[in-house]
Amino acid sequence: IVEKDRFQTLGDLRKQWTESGVETSRATVYRRVQEMGYRCHIPQVKPLLNQKPRQKRLTWATEKQHWTVAQWSKREMPKCLKSSVKYPQSVMVWGAMSAAVNAASYQEILEHFMLPSAEKLYGDEDFIFQHDLAPAHNAKTTGKWFTDHGITLLNWPANSPDLNPIENLWDIVKRKLRDARPNTLDELKAAIEASWASITPQQCHRLIASMPRRIEAVISAKGFPTKY
């Protein structure tokens, strides 16, 4: 039974045994599974990739295979916070690659937050902006906005969070927030901003420096999801 479906839980096994007339506890099922040489693990959740997305990821990674860490360092990742009025109190955090906004509001964010950030970081130097394939990002009007402002976009394969190191930054923020326990919306905003501000340049550099390894991992996996 275990070898036929590795994703069954101990509860699933116990149910099947019970239906076949074997009354036992979950603990007994666990012991028997252990005795048979199996171990229980929580499976890693990865995006479902069929052949076409895998091929696009592989092509993308091959094209970027020789990019240096210095080149990856010129990806713009601004941030801002947007309040949500839904109950319970929460905050939607926008971080330059996804947001629950439409194309018009996304372009306003780019105008009021990304451009000043890019000017401060790069001055008159060229840089490459990266966002994913969310509808607001992929809209024709958004593409025109970037063209009108002379900003180069990094082409991006679908379903590829393992290629985006800022996902790791969000994980750092979430882990730091676990002990904050904010009680109000303002406290939540302050905690998020404090968590983000506590991320060191060294952490950012290590994540950016991982890009060549991520690229190689995608190529080695022939486009399938990687460990990142």
Side-chain angles (χ1 to χ4, degrees), residues 80-167:
C80 71
L81 302 178
K82 181 181 179 182
S83 299
S84 171
V85 297
K86 292 183 179 179
Y87 179 84
Q89 288 187 332
S90 64
V91 172
M92 291 187 292
V93 182
W94 183 86
M97 78 289 294
S98 64
V101 296
N102 57 30
S105 56
Y106 178 57
Q107 290 159 37
E108 288 182 10
I109 292 173
L110 294 172
E111 190 79 37
H112 297 297
F113 291 93
M114 190 276 279
L115 287 182
S117 175
E119 184 176 353
K120 181 178 179 181
L121 287 170
Y122 307 116
D124 294 330
E125 292 183 37
D126 292 332
F127 66 93
I128 298 175
F129 188 87
Q130 182 264 319
H131 57 190
D132 62 19
L133 302 180
H137 304 174
N138 217 24
K140 290 183 179 180
T141 56
T142 299
K144 184 177 184 301
W145 186 94
F146 280 100
T147 300
D148 292 344
H149 287 79
I151 298 173
T152 301
L153 284 174
L154 177 67
N155 64 312
W156 195 253
N159 298 322
S160 299
D162 54 343
L163 288 171
N164 198 342
I166 204 170
E167 297 290 349

Side-chain angles (χ1 to χ4, degrees), residues 46-64:
K46 296 289 185 179
L48 178 63
L49 296 171
N50 57 31
Q51 185 175 357
K52 188 174 181 179
R54 290 201 308 272
Q55 185 58 49
K56 287 184 176 181
R57 280 166 52 87
L58 182 59
T59 300
W60 185 91
T62 303
E63 291 172 351
K64 308 295 186 295

Side-chain angles (χ1 to χ4, degrees), residues 34-73:
Q34 293 280 312
E35 290 170 2
M36 294 168 63
Y38 295 104
R39 296 293 180 267
C40 298
H41 298 281
I42 298 176
Q44 286 189 332
V45 178
K46 296 289 185 179
L48 178 63
L49 296 171
N50 57 31
Q51 185 175 357
K52 188 174 181 179
R54 290 201 308 272
Q55 185 58 49
K56 287 184 176 181
R57 280 166 52 87
L58 182 59
T59 300
W60 185 91
T62 303
E63 291 172 351
K64 308 295 186 295
Q65 186 173 12
H66 301 294
W67 275 33
T68 64
V69 173
Q71 286 175 290
W72 285 113
S73 297

